[in-house]
Amino acid sequence: MPSTYIDLNSDLGEQFGIYQLGRDDAILELVTSANIACGFHAGDPSVMRSTVKKALQQGAAIGAHPGLPDLAGFGRRNMAVSPQEVYDMVLYQIGALAAFVQSEGGKLQHVKPHGALYNMAAANKKLAAAIAEATARFDSSLVLYGLAGSALIEAGQQFGLRTASEAFADRTYQEDGSLTPRHLPDALIHQPEQAAAQVVRMIKEGKVRTVQGSDWTLQADTICIHGDGDQALAFSRHIREALITSGIELRAIGRTDSI
């Protein structure tokens, strides 16, 4: 059944060295969960530590955001990787971020793959199983985030993990429930009003209108808002306000307190 509360997550800690990206401090004031880059597609040890600390100060639930080893492409380019390689790189990245979380007195809550790895695992059952197994072997209490209706959600359930079906505020959908590839001109939603209306409908009705004009039924446990666009902060504020105005509570997965 459609929810009356929702987790609002954002991909953060995606700076690297002197290169800055996103508005992490401001975004952390708006979301309930933070997916923190683990060094492969973005992030470095210092960025990981500081982002974890800021997330804990804001009371956001923290998740590892493992990606493909592709700094130049920001982890958004497909790579020919085997399930064993995916298992190894995901386990490596979860462990790295968990060390920073533990050292700051927190506890890792979830795992959400990034970019191309996320999309590959949404369709490829073997890669999805590799991610789910790495997560479960590290800590079976972790929540696995994945695209609603995807192979990754199915794999997580098969490995006994709690899963969170994710929907996107600023992305359009294809008629098979997949996200429109970023290289296509209609992949992103640029108007905050349109994005907010899409999010509210996904939560309350469990449906999203595809670019082909049909409705796709989906479960939305968590909504992703991207923090790296030019208008990301204004966009995020508008969506948050629309959710609250619509009577939808903001609550991290597994928590009973709303913000």
Side-chain angles (χ1 to χ4, degrees):
M1 295 294 293
S3 302
T4 55
Y5 59 87
I6 197 72
D7 173 52
L8 201 59
N9 78 77
S10 189
D11 306 337
L12 303 174
E14 293 182 320
Q15 300 83 30
F16 185 82
I18 65 171
Y19 301 99
Q20 300 296 309
L21 181 68
R23 301 283 301 277
D24 286 9
D25 291 355
I27 294 293
L28 274 169
E29 296 178 359
L30 305 175
V31 299
T32 53
S33 297
N35 321 306
I36 300 178
C38 305
F40 273 35
H41 77 277
D44 60 38
S46 295
V47 170
M48 291 165 69
R49 175 191 52 77
S50 63
T51 308
V52 164
K53 190 171 184 177
K54 292 173 184 176
L56 289 172
Q57 289 172 345
Q58 289 293 339
I62 297 177
H65 195 40
L68 295 172
D70 180 23
L71 284 173
F74 197 62
R76 287 178 175 165
R77 300 182 294 191
N78 287 359
M79 297 178 66
V81 288
S82 69
Q84 184 63 63
E85 289 173 318
V86 168
Y87 173 91
D88 293 342
M89 67 176 67
V90 168
L91 184 59
Y92 181 98
Q93 292 176 81
I94 294 174
L97 188 72
F100 285 106
V101 177
Q102 180 179 331
S103 72
E104 294 293 338
K107 188 179 187 304
L108 194 67
Q109 179 212 240
H110 65 274
V111 173
K112 174 190 166 181
H114 166 80
L117 181 60
Y118 181 98
N119 291 325
M120 291 161 64
N124 187 313
K125 293 184 177 181
K126 291 183 178 180
L127 297 185
I131 294 171
E133 183 178 4
T135 303
R137 287 202 176 188
F138 182 84
D139 183 351
S140 61
S141 72
L142 290 171
V143 182
L144 183 61
Y145 283 34
L147 183 67
S150 71
L152 187 57
I153 293 296
E154 181 180 350
Q157 294 168 349
Q158 290 173 347
F159 277 89
L161 294 168
R162 181 174 181 177
T163 59
S165 295
E166 184 177 39
F168 288 78
D170 61 352
R171 298 292 300 276
T172 62
Y173 284 76
Q174 295 293 298
E175 58 187 353
D176 63 353
S178 64
L179 299 177
T180 303
R182 281 181 174 271
H183 68 271
L184 296 179
D186 56 354
L188 298 176
I189 296 174
H190 299 285
Q191 298 301 320
E193 296 81 6
Q194 180 185 354
Q198 173 169 288
V199 167
V200 170
R201 186 170 186 241
M202 288 190 293
I203 297 168
K204 289 199 165 185
E205 299 181 27
K207 294 180 180 180
V208 63
R209 181 59 57 90
T210 70
V211 295
Q212 289 80 17
S214 59
D215 279 343
W216 174 262
T217 300
L218 81 171
Q219 177 177 335
D221 301 316
T222 183
I223 300 292
C224 177
I225 54 175
H226 288 108
D228 59 341
D230 293 337
Q231 302 297 322
L233 185 55
F235 204 93
S236 301
R237 285 174 173 159
H238 187 93
I239 291 172
R240 177 189 166 96
E241 291 171 3
L243 292 172
I244 294 173
T245 300
S246 299
I248 299 168
E249 298 179 18
L250 303 182
R251 184 190 307 175
I253 300 293
R255 294 186 181 177
T256 58
D257 55 317
S258 302
I259 63 171

